[in-house]
Amino acid sequence: MTTDFLKYQKIIEQFRGKVLKNDFETNFSAMTQHIPKTERFLLKMELKRLAVACTRLIDLRGHVDGECRSFEHDGRVHYLDDIAIKVYQENIGFYQGYTFGVYEAVMNTENNFRVIYQKEKSNMGKPVQVETTKASKTFEKTQYPASLFTFGPYHNRSEERMNFAITLDILLENDKNEYECTSSDISVEGCKFRFNFKNTITVGQHISIRFRGLEDEFQFGKEKSFNFEVKNIQKIDKTQLIGCQRVYSKDKRVDGFQTFLQGFIQGNKRRYKVNLDNTIHAIQSRSFEQYSLPKLNELPIFVEDNKGDLLPRYALTCHNNQATFQYWQDENRHSTLYCLITPERLLRMRKAHALGKSLLVYSFVHKSQGKSFFYTADVEQLNNDSDFKVQFLGFAASKPSFAITQLSIMDVDIDKAHSPLTLSNTLTKKNEYLNLPIPSDAIETLHNLQSIVVASDVTNPASTKQYQQLSFENIDTIRLKNFGHKRLTSPLLMDEVGINYKNQRQESRFKYVTPVELEIAGVRCSGKSHDFSILGLKLELDKPSVLNKGDVVYLTFPGLQKITSAFDLKGLPYEVMRVNKKKNILNLRVYVEKHQHMGRAFFKALITKNRDKLTPDEYALMIPGLAKALRNIYSRSLTIPTLMVQTSGSRYKLEAIVCGTVKDKLLPVMKQLSDSPSQYNLYPLLNNLQATSTLTLPLKKMQTDDTPVLETLYIAVNLDNEIIDQAVTTKTSSELESPMLQRMFISRALNRGLFFCVQVRLSRTDDPDMDHLNPELSYISSYAIHRGKQIEQDIWSVAGVMQFLDITQETLVRHELLSNVI
């Protein structure tokens, strides 16, 4: 049905399926006397078109807000949700068969994303009218449920637990009565049972258990009851789930009951199934960790206590945070992070952390005579002089190198360094290397690390433009110099530790910059190498190219040719393996046209003779196990949440939040907005269709090394309003394009409730390292193959990650400053 017939919708509904009846003409003419003759004719044709039999199959998966399932009618299988099925059956009754009227009614249900979008688009700019009807009668979606997954701790059980329900008799201390209970699972050294009585049981209490459900079929010694100690208590509704561990007498460690349980569990664990809850939780979180951690946008920096001097020592880097790491480097690529993280600033970070805040640092780089000089000032320093604060920020913002860095601090917890597999000591020999403990020399190094400073670059063109409005006329250059940092006589000892779960390199790669000339089909261009190996190299061209993956190019190395006469380094064939989005960075592999490749032979000889002089480009440190330990410590301390973007049919779903520990201020608010106590409602982040479209639409075209897509959200929340779509308002930076509109939104939000400003960054993910995930996945599949397949499907469904960083503090500081000055 076209939009021309919207005004006749009631007439169309009234004559559904009546076109072939004898009295149709009479009734239709009587009903449409007021309609012009031409429109009456077109309306009749439309009614006849809707009554024509249809053969199209309907697949609403990914097109509606609902779960679709197969629905068969008249030999055809459609995929519909509950609302669509109801509309289908209703219209089939009117049309007496599957017609175009039925098809179009099903395709235009209220929960169809296209219909929702068209309604929102048509209502843009109109004043919002509050409905007096109950919220449950509206089709507006106000619940976007998501589960939270934390990166550890992953509890490895010392032995397998078997799900087994039998009758137990429980005898409590100082209580002569026995209580009949049912076990939940058992192991050789413990058990878990359900306790439905009002008696108070505490952790550490000793109880006596008689396994009456086993006595009828088995004999395991003279003893009837055995002593246990309560280790944990979990309350589910009115039931207590008691976990306890066997307690032995001093002179007896092995008895007939223990021997019986060992054989009984080993022989029946496939029949009754092993309890896999801890392993399932571990592999779900571990797989999400492998996707999200290599896409960090912040820069984690480990600070070392070197004989009383606190200095940056290690930085976890990846593609997304590489720009931040390189910003803090001088002209010789030596790290200058000591300018950002000073002993005095560490104390101010601690103070801000205690107040639940971050420390904002404003910086710029002045270049003179080929040298880089860094200037930094944090909010605490600038607050001491409000007049100079305005001048400093205006002057800094006028520089191309202006940056705003948000710093937070956390302690180094060495206990988080090891992340064991949860296989209850069933790991095979060939996979034992995956579960090795942290080496002693790595532990010794970790003991010298005092804290982790997380540096997040929150600079964006819009905020920079606002700071540039501040006047710095007649700035005091002497006071400005006080914020400059002295250059060190010797470079800072700083190691870059790459976050890498899956190493796809077949051989060692070395950093080396040398001129390269490229030729293809008579066209020549020049560039320089970034690194090389025996089988390939990475090349940056001076100008963008038109090359594609699979092209064969011919390289000449004029600089390297000067140092050798034994090898002819002209016109060497290489195959293009990867091209970046700007078409100026190529990953190349040797292309062997015959039996010999001169470039491969040359680089092999060069590496063999100069291995000690070359700088390796690999994600490994001289201390084995340290890189993995640092990664584990930060992943479990990570406070910036990330949404996992997973494919679901033809659309994306966001139903999983991941982080190390919950410190983000928006997460508790989203939990309070949820109608389920165990889930979070993503409504504040996803209710703005313009924002979600901006963030998800580019994902299909993105490559894993593309710059993240950025969107800034302004969120107002009034928790006193129980109607969610009225309690939460979310606007994008493009909707609040002027500082005045932003300040009005912020002011209203703070007057009514809470205000958040969130930077959302979307990245395309790499493939996970299945070698590390397969042991736990195989363990689950061996006992629950359907569950294993579902988890594996969920692992491979991840297409991107959406990290959201709270920048409310910087936003409030900026607007308060501007409103006081302008």
Side-chain angles (χ1 to χ4, degrees), residues 665-666 669 712-718 729 731 736 742-758 806-815:
K665 295 179 181 178
L666 184 57
V669 173
T712 302
L713 302 180
Y714 293 80
I715 303 170
V717 182
N718 180 10
T729 304
K731 298 290 183 181
L736 304 175
Q742 294 172 14
R743 283 197 290 274
M744 288 175 59
F745 184 90
I746 294 170
S747 177
R748 290 178 181 177
L750 293 175
N751 287 335
R752 298 176 182 176
L754 303 172
F755 167 72
F756 298 93
C757 187
V758 177
D806 190 333
I807 60 167
T808 308
Q809 186 177 337
E810 188 277 328
T811 305
L812 293 176
V813 169
R814 173 169 23 104
H815 284 283

Side-chain angles (χ1 to χ4, degrees), residues 19 23 40 64 77 197 229 481 552 647 711 736 755 762 793 817:
V19 174
D23 59 351
R40 193 188 315 162
V64 294
V77 177
F197 304 95
E229 180 184 354
K481 288 181 180 179
V552 176
T647 56
E711 182 65 87
L736 304 175
F755 167 72
L762 172 74
Q793 183 179 338
L817 180 67

Side-chain angles (χ1 to χ4, degrees), residues 488-517:
L488 298 179
T489 54
S490 57
L492 175 69
L493 184 60
M494 185 76 199
D495 280 330
E496 179 184 3
V497 184
I499 302 173
N500 184 39
Y501 288 88
K502 187 173 184 180
N503 189 1
Q504 296 177 330
R505 296 176 181 173
Q506 300 176 6
E507 55 191 358
S508 299
R509 190 178 298 187
F510 299 91
K511 296 180 181 179
Y512 197 82
V513 179
T514 186
V516 181
E517 295 176 0

